[in-house]
Amino acid sequence: MRRRIVVVGATGRTGRVVADELAGRRHVLLVSRRPGALSSVGESTDLPVRCADLDGLGGVLVPGDVVLSCVGPHDVVGDRVVDATVRAGATYLDVTGEPAFLSRLHADHGPRAAAAGTSLLPAVGYEYLPGLLLAELALRAAGTDARRVEVAYLVDGGLDAGSATARRSLVRALTRPTTTFRRGAHREESVAARRGEFRAGGQLHTTVSLGGLEVWALPTRYPELDRVDVHTGWFGAAAPMLQLGTLLAAPARMFGIDRMMDGAVAALGDGDVEGLSTGTSRFVVRVRDGHGELLAREEAVAGNAIVLAARLAAATADALADRPLADLPTGATDPVAALGLPEVSRLAEWAGLVRL
């Protein structure tokens, strides 16, 4: 029996695109606290709607639901969606790119979800499903000598379509510690602690370390790995300035500067929706042995990052809705563990990810 998909935050920028992707399907419910906008999305997608705030999710969810969280910033409100999902005995997904929230979800929420027999699948959008997929493919090609994985998320244009919520998420991502996997263990460090270079699309991209789903998921299946590095190239030539700025992250939190930045970017409002038709997303994965020699490389390209995130999330939720709850791994997990590599490859291709 197909499980119901509940899209929480269906009136936000990503939530609306997710709703469009699920339009007209059976067993889908759109949830938001904005009744006017929610009614409009429901009418345009022919999907049922339910107006509720995050504290009222307990009255909406039922056991077995597949909950796709498009709210944000996840570091601020995401925990409430996770809590409500676990209490309801449902499956949780989100489109977060915030490393600090990812760490909390694995370290704090994961054990509770495992005890309750439920599954948490964070970051199934632009961040960090493409990198996870390409890393799996590269690791299988590299063989048993693989020790290091390097993942880069790159983008050319299209970011002007971002929402105020996405900008707030970025502020929180840059001003909070992240988790990496180095010397065979998870370690906390600041964002942009290290710089890198990745070639894609005919040019060399400067990147900074970020942290992502890969640092949690890959070591569980490849215990021989010594290091997993996740980088972003969004900042390009400004990477050195970003590194300097993140050194001041702790004082910024202490004096409330991050809250002022949060308010400032929120006041800018959402970007132009027309921007969703522009931009190119690029992804590169390199696998090396213990001496640093390159063993395998994967590269992929897609369109606008926001559209890709929504399509990946909708496809993942749709695939999970056809899987019985009892067939899924419990606790904090990932799409490859839950669905298998062939299925994740298929849904990523459907979403527009093209391997080069």
Side-chain angles (χ1 to χ4, degrees), residues 21-356:
E21 296 298 335
L22 297 173
R25 302 199 185 191
R26 296 183 301 113
H27 307 302
V28 177
L29 176 67
L30 307 181
V31 177
S32 174
R33 61 180 176 81
R34 301 165 57 195
L38 184 59
S39 176
S40 174
V41 176
E43 291 176 3
S44 66
T45 58
D46 193 28
L47 293 172
V49 301
R50 178 80 175 269
C51 191
D53 60 24
L54 297 184
D55 293 325
L57 284 179
V60 175
L61 304 180
V62 299
D65 278 346
V66 176
V67 180
L68 174 51
S69 176
C70 299
V71 301
H74 284 82
D75 188 57
V76 179
V77 298
D79 297 272
R80 284 187 279 172
V81 184
V82 178
D83 287 338
T85 303
V86 172
R87 285 197 301 269
T91 300
Y92 171 89
L93 299 87
D94 68 36
V95 291
T96 187
E98 301 169 41
F101 178 73
L102 268 178
S103 300
R104 194 160 68 244
L105 187 141
H106 281 83
D108 299 336
H109 295 296
R112 292 193 303 106
T118 60
S119 307
L120 310 178
L121 289 87
V124 298
Y126 165 90
E127 298 157 324
Y128 295 90
L129 193 152
L132 178 64
L133 169 61
L134 296 180
E136 290 277 355
L137 294 170
L139 282 165
R140 297 188 183 203
T144 57
D145 289 336
R147 295 294 181 271
R148 305 176 187 174
V149 179
E150 302 162 348
V151 185
Y153 288 81
L154 313 169
V155 64
D156 300 328
L159 298 181
D160 53 341
S163 66
T165 296
R167 296 187 185 97
R168 293 180 64 203
S169 292
L170 181 61
V171 168
R172 306 194 80 81
L174 296 178
T175 56
R176 276 141 182 82
T178 187
T179 300
T180 189
F181 187 79
R182 299 174 68 80
R183 298 188 295 280
H186 288 104
R187 303 176 187 276
E188 188 175 278
E189 66 180 25
S190 63
V191 172
R194 285 161 285 110
R195 265 187 282 174
E197 289 184 335
F198 291 79
R199 184 167 294 280
Q203 60 180 324
L204 196 63
H205 298 258
T206 300
T207 64
V208 292
S209 56
L210 179 67
L213 179 63
E214 297 91 335
V215 306
W216 298 99
L218 294 176
T220 65
R221 287 187 288 277
Y222 302 92
E224 69 277 8
L225 289 178
D226 177 70
R227 190 167 86 191
V228 179
D229 278 327
V230 181
H231 282 233
T232 177
W234 281 32
F235 303 97
M241 294 181 60
L242 178 65
Q243 286 187 296
L244 177 61
T246 56
L247 293 176
L248 303 175
R253 293 195 301 272
M254 183 182 301
F255 293 105
I257 297 174
D258 62 327
R259 291 192 296 274
M260 289 188 286
M261 293 169 60
D262 186 302
V265 297
L268 293 175
D270 293 344
D272 190 347
V273 70
E274 299 298 325
L276 293 176
S277 62
T278 66
T280 302
S281 306
R282 300 185 186 277
F283 311 91
V284 178
V285 169
R286 301 184 300 223
V287 174
R288 302 184 185 275
D289 65 15
H291 302 289
E293 292 296 320
L294 184 67
L295 300 177
R297 183 183 186 278
E298 288 281 344
E299 182 177 346
V301 64
N304 182 274
I306 299 168
V307 174
L308 177 64
R311 288 178 63 84
L312 287 170
T316 304
D318 193 51
L320 287 168
D322 287 327
R323 298 285 178 105
L325 189 65
D327 289 351
L328 300 177
T330 59
T333 184
D334 63 88
V336 174
L339 298 171
L341 187 58
E343 177 68 3
V344 174
S345 297
R346 184 198 65 78
L347 67 86
E349 182 179 357
W350 174 88
L353 190 72
V354 178
R355 290 172 64 195
L356 301 178

